[in-house]
Amino acid sequence: MEIPAIVGAGLVVIGAGIGIGKIGGSAMEAIARQPEATGKIQTAMLIAAALIEGIGFAALFAV
Amino acid sequence: MRKKIAFKPVTLLLLLITFISFAKEDVKHEESGSDLKTEIKEYIQHHLLDSYDFNLFSYDNGEKHFGFPLPVILWDNGLKVFSSSKFHHGETVAEAGGSYYKLHHGKIYKVDGPNGEIIEDDHHHATNQKPLDFSITKNVVLIAMVFAIMFFMFSRMAKSYKKNNGMPKGTGRFLEPIVLYVRDEIAIPNIGEKKYKKYMSYLLTVFFFVWIVNLFGLTPIGMNVTNNIAVTLCLALITYLITTFSGNKNYWKHIFWMPGVPVPMKIILAPIELLGTIIKPFALMIRLYANITAGHVVLMSIIGMMFIFNNWLGSSLSFLLAFVLGILELLVAALQAYIFTVLSALYFGMAVEDHDHH
Amino acid sequence: MEELFGGFSLGLFFWQAVLFLALVFLLRKFAWKPILDSVNNREEGIKNALEAAENAKKEMENLQADNQKLLKEARAEREEMLKEARDIKNKMIEDAKGEAQDQANKMIKQAQDAIESEKKAAMAELKSQVAGISLDIAEKVVRQELSNKDKQLKLVESMLGEAKLN
C-alpha cells in the first residue's frame, strides 16, 4: 500500500507544531524567570519559531 | 482627541459592512448546496490569483463586473500594449498587432486566430505558447500604490523633521518609534553597532513595504501582493544578493573551510553550508508567501462557511470566528514583516561579522 | 512545489524588482537618511545635554563642597580669632593687674623710702639739734662749772639721761 505524500507533510507539520509549542513554552518559562529579559527572549523565540515554521511550509509545498 | 477616539467604532463598522456586503453578494446562489461550495472554492482560488483588470466585485452570477481594466504589456516579436478590457474577463480572444491572445487560469496564452482555443495536455496544462508578460496587473497597481503611499508618508516625515527643529510631526510621531524599533531592536543587535548603517535603508523599506502590503491584503479590495511567489522571491533574492555581496573573508571561510573542525568534516560541511546560504533566503520567500496565503485561504473559507451553514447559529459562529481570525491576521501582517526584517538583518550580520575571537 | 512555481509570474517579478529597488533608493535619499540623521542628531544633542547637566551638577557639588570648606575654615578662623581675643583680653587684664601691683609696690616702696629718708633727715636734724643743744648745755654747764662743780656734774648727768631717752 502506498502512503500518500500528504501524510508525510502532515507528520512534518505535527513535528513543527510540537517544536514551535516547545519554543513558546520555554520562552514563557524564561520570561517568568527573568521578566527583565522579555524583549530578548521574545526576539529569540520568534526567530527560532520562524525557522521551524519554514520547514513546515517547505514540507507542505513539497507535496 | 475626541475625533481620534471616535475613529475606532467607525473602523469596526466598516469591517462589519465589509462582511455583510460579502454576504449579500453571494446570497443569490444559496439554492444549490454543493454548487455553492465549489463556487466558494473557485472564488477563493480566483482571489488568490493575480488578475489583468482591477475587479472590485462581480454580480449577477459573475456576468457584471465592477472595476476598471489595466494595460496589458506583452513582448512577443515586439512590444504589444493593449487594454485588458479586450479579454472581456477571459471570455474572448484579444487581438493585438496581428497576434491573438486568450486568458486561461489567469495567464495569457497565444492562440492561432480569433476563434483559437487553448489546447490542454493530459495534466490539464495548456500547451500554447506563452508570450513574455510585463502587464500592469492588479498586484503591480497595488505595489505602485504602496510605493506612492510610502514615498509620500516618509518624505513628509523627513520634511517635518527639518521644519520642526529635529522633532517629527503628524504621522511622523507614530512612525518614528517604529523606525527606531527597526534600528535599535532589529538592525543593531543583529548586525552590530559599527556596520548597521549601510543596511538600514533596505531593512526599513522592506519592513514597511511588507507590512503595508500585508495590511492592504486584509482590506476588502481583495489584493494580496505577498501571496505571489514572484513578489516574495524578489524580496528574498535581494536579501540573498546583499548578503552575498557584503560577505567578508570570514563569512566565506566559514562556508568553504569551517575553522576548528577536522579536515574530512570541512569537506563535508562545505556543500552543506553552501546549500544553507540558498536555503535561508528560500525559507524567507516561502515563509512570507505561505503565511499570507494560508491566512487568506482560512479567513475566506470561514467567511464562505457563513453561506454554507446558512442558519443563524452556524453563520454567526463563523462570523465570530472570521472576525477573531481577521484580528489575528492583522497581527500576522506585522509579524511577518518583522520576521522577514529580523532574518534579513541576521543574515547580513552573519555576512559582516568579524570573528576576532578565533 | 510545482504548484508553488506554477503561479510564478515573470512580469510581476520584474515590476516588483523595479518598483521595490526604486523605492529603496528614493526613500534612502528622501526619507531614511534625513530621518535617521535627525534622530541621531537629536539623540546626540540629548546625550550632550545630559552630559552637560551631569557636569554642571558635579561642578555644583564641587562648588558646594568648596563653600562648605570655606565656611568651615571661616568658622575655624573666627573661633581662633575669638580665642585669641579672649587670650589677649586675659593677658591684658593680667598685665594691667601686674603693672598695677608693681606700681603700687613701687609707690609703697617710694613712700617707705621717703619716710625712711625723712626719718633719717629728721634724725640727723635731731642729732644736730641735740648736738647744738648739747653744746649749749655744755657751754652753760661749762660756764656754771666754774661756779659749782657739783651742780655741773649733776646737770650733765641729768641732761645726758634726758638725751639718751630720745
Side-chain angles (χ1 to χ4, degrees):
Chain A
M1 198 182 105
E2 201 182 322
I3 298 168
I6 194 86
V7 175
L11 288 174
V12 173
V13 171
I14 290 170
I18 292 170
I20 293 175
K22 281 199 83 148
I23 291 168
S26 308
M28 289 292 156
E29 273 170 27
I31 289 171
R33 202 167 296 149
Q34 277 178 293
E36 68 277 0
T38 305
K40 276 184 182 175
I41 293 166
Q42 269 171 353
T43 312
M45 175 189 81
L46 283 176
I47 290 171
L51 289 172
I52 292 179
E53 196 188 43
I55 295 172
F57 285 130
L60 269 185
F61 285 105
V63 172
Chain B
M1 266 298 147
R2 268 183 165 269
K3 233 167 140 187
K4 275 175 194 166
I5 293 163
F7 181 67
K8 273 186 194 166
V10 170
T11 329
L12 274 177
L13 201 73
L14 277 176
L15 226 87
L16 270 169
I17 290 167
T18 311
F19 286 135
I20 291 163
S21 65
F22 264 111
K24 280 215 167 148
E25 220 177 288
D26 286 77
V27 140
K28 282 168 194 159
H29 318 300
E30 71 193 45
E31 289 95 29
S32 45
S34 63
D35 242 24
L36 187 64
K37 269 186 205 169
T38 40
E39 197 183 323
I40 287 169
K41 211 172 157 189
E42 266 169 22
Y43 183 83
I44 292 170
Q45 263 169 4
H46 180 76
H47 169 85
L48 294 174
L49 286 176
D50 203 355
S51 73
Y52 288 93
D53 47 10
F54 206 102
N55 199 12
L56 287 173
F57 54 87
S58 311
Y59 51 98
D60 274 359
N61 275 337
E63 295 290 314
K64 289 184 178 160
H65 304 278
F66 184 82
F68 49 88
L70 294 166
V72 175
I73 303 165
L74 299 177
W75 184 266
D76 184 27
N77 297 323
L79 194 67
K80 277 162 195 170
V81 183
F82 56 92
S83 164
S84 68
S85 60
K86 279 190 178 181
F87 286 124
H88 294 99
H89 304 285
E91 283 145 27
T92 59
V93 174
E95 185 269 334
S99 302
Y100 298 92
Y101 303 100
K102 193 168 167 46
L103 272 178
H104 180 68
H105 289 308
K107 292 236 177 251
I108 294 176
Y109 292 92
K110 202 173 177 182
V111 289
D112 298 332
N115 296 314
E117 284 296 316
I118 300 282
I119 302 142
E120 284 183 343
D121 62 10
D122 298 340
H123 301 287
H124 294 285
H125 291 306
T127 51
N128 296 48
Q129 198 196 340
K130 268 205 302 197
L132 274 180
D133 181 3
F134 294 105
S135 306
I136 308 291
T137 58
K138 204 174 171 182
N139 283 328
V140 177
V141 170
L142 182 68
I143 293 166
M145 244 166 76
V146 171
F147 178 110
I149 289 169
M150 277 179 73
F151 185 71
F152 175 72
M153 208 158 70
F154 288 109
S155 59
R156 243 176 61 121
M157 179 184 171
K159 267 183 209 142
S160 82
Y161 274 96
K162 252 178 224 157
K163 259 190 254 158
N164 214 12
N165 227 351
M167 287 293 277
K169 231 175 125 181
T171 32
R173 286 267 165 99
F174 166 71
L175 292 170
E176 196 199 76
I178 305 172
V179 172
L180 288 185
Y181 182 82
V182 172
R183 189 191 67 173
D184 295 336
E185 304 295 329
I186 296 177
I188 292 178
N190 288 317
I191 302 175
E193 188 85 56
K194 282 179 207 153
K195 289 163 180 162
Y196 80 96
K197 276 192 180 134
K198 256 199 312 190
Y199 304 101
M200 277 308 282
S201 302
Y202 174 67
L203 292 177
L204 282 168
T205 314
V206 88
F207 178 77
F208 283 106
F209 180 81
V210 173
W211 190 22
I212 295 171
V213 142
N214 284 349
L215 287 180
F216 264 106
L218 294 173
T219 57
I221 38 175
M223 297 190 283
N224 343 275
V225 173
T226 33
N227 74 9
N228 286 283
I229 201 80
V231 172
T232 58
L233 174 66
C234 178
L235 294 175
L237 195 66
I238 295 172
T239 295
Y240 174 70
L241 289 177
I242 294 175
T243 313
T244 309
F245 283 114
S246 58
N248 58 15
K249 223 171 74 192
N250 264 306
Y251 175 66
W252 294 115
K253 200 176 155 195
H254 273 76
I255 289 170
F256 290 116
W257 208 243
M258 180 71 83
V261 293
V263 174
M265 271 305 275
K266 282 182 185 185
I267 294 162
I268 297 166
L269 272 177
I272 295 173
E273 286 281 329
L274 197 63
L275 198 66
T277 59
I278 297 160
I279 287 176
K280 280 175 198 163
F282 184 78
L284 215 55
M285 167 185 90
I286 297 282
R287 180 176 307 112
L288 181 56
Y289 165 80
N291 266 294
I292 302 304
T293 310
H296 275 261
V297 170
V298 172
L299 189 56
M300 292 189 73
S301 304
I302 289 171
I303 292 173
M305 265 157 67
M306 275 188 241
F307 313 114
I308 292 172
F309 277 126
N310 201 22
N311 58 44
W312 66 271
L313 184 66
S315 293
S316 48
L317 276 178
S318 308
F319 174 80
L320 200 71
L321 199 59
F323 186 75
V324 172
L325 217 70
I327 290 166
L328 188 73
E329 283 300 305
L330 277 178
L331 175 73
V332 168
L335 192 68
Q336 287 310 314
Y338 169 75
I339 292 279
F340 196 99
T341 318
V342 167
L343 289 177
S344 292
L346 199 72
Y347 300 154
F348 299 159
M350 280 178 189
V352 298
E353 196 181 0
D354 291 319
H355 291 270
D356 291 332
H357 48 275
H358 282 303
Chain C
M1 200 53 80
E2 192 210 319
E3 202 178 311
L4 184 60
F5 287 103
F8 179 79
S9 147
L10 186 69
L12 187 58
F13 178 80
F14 168 77
W15 286 113
Q16 162 70 9
V18 169
L19 286 171
F20 186 77
L21 287 176
L23 187 64
V24 170
F25 285 110
L26 275 176
L27 282 184
R28 206 231 310 252
K29 189 158 189 302
F30 291 109
W32 304 135
K33 232 176 161 70
I35 288 170
L36 290 174
D37 283 352
S38 305
V39 169
N40 265 351
N41 282 344
R42 203 179 60 207
E43 279 172 353
E44 205 91 331
I46 289 169
K47 217 171 111 194
N48 287 346
L50 277 178
E51 245 163 48
E54 193 68 23
N55 282 347
K57 202 177 144 197
K58 238 177 233 166
E59 217 161 285
M60 196 74 181
E61 263 165 20
N62 280 348
L63 264 176
Q64 233 154 16
D66 275 4
N67 273 353
Q68 211 69 27
K69 217 172 106 193
L70 272 176
L71 209 67
K72 220 170 162 185
E73 264 171 28
R75 204 170 287 149
E77 211 166 315
R78 194 191 65 180
E79 207 80 352
E80 191 93 350
M81 273 164 84
L82 276 176
K83 204 177 152 217
E84 218 165 284
R86 211 175 292 133
D87 284 358
I88 289 171
K89 181 192 82 174
N90 285 348
K91 209 176 150 219
M92 269 169 84
I93 291 170
E94 209 77 3
D95 283 2
K97 261 187 190 163
E99 212 166 312
Q101 194 71 36
D102 282 1
Q103 204 76 17
N105 286 350
K106 221 167 148 188
M107 274 168 81
I108 291 167
K109 208 174 170 231
Q110 260 175 356
Q112 274 173 343
D113 284 357
I115 290 165
E116 197 72 17
S117 64
E118 285 293 304
K119 196 174 142 189
K120 269 184 187 157
M123 286 283 265
E125 208 183 308
L126 196 67
K127 270 179 187 163
S128 72
Q129 267 182 9
V130 168
I133 291 167
S134 316
L135 273 174
D136 280 350
I137 295 166
E139 213 185 293
K140 277 173 188 167
V141 169
V142 170
R143 264 178 207 155
Q144 276 192 357
E145 203 187 7
L146 297 166
S147 52
N148 196 346
K149 208 184 170 179
D150 286 340
K151 255 186 171 175
Q152 280 173 0
L153 275 172
K154 238 189 206 166
L155 191 71
V156 170
E157 230 163 83
S158 72
M159 280 207 175
L160 274 174
E162 266 169 36
K164 259 180 199 166
L165 272 173
N166 214 339

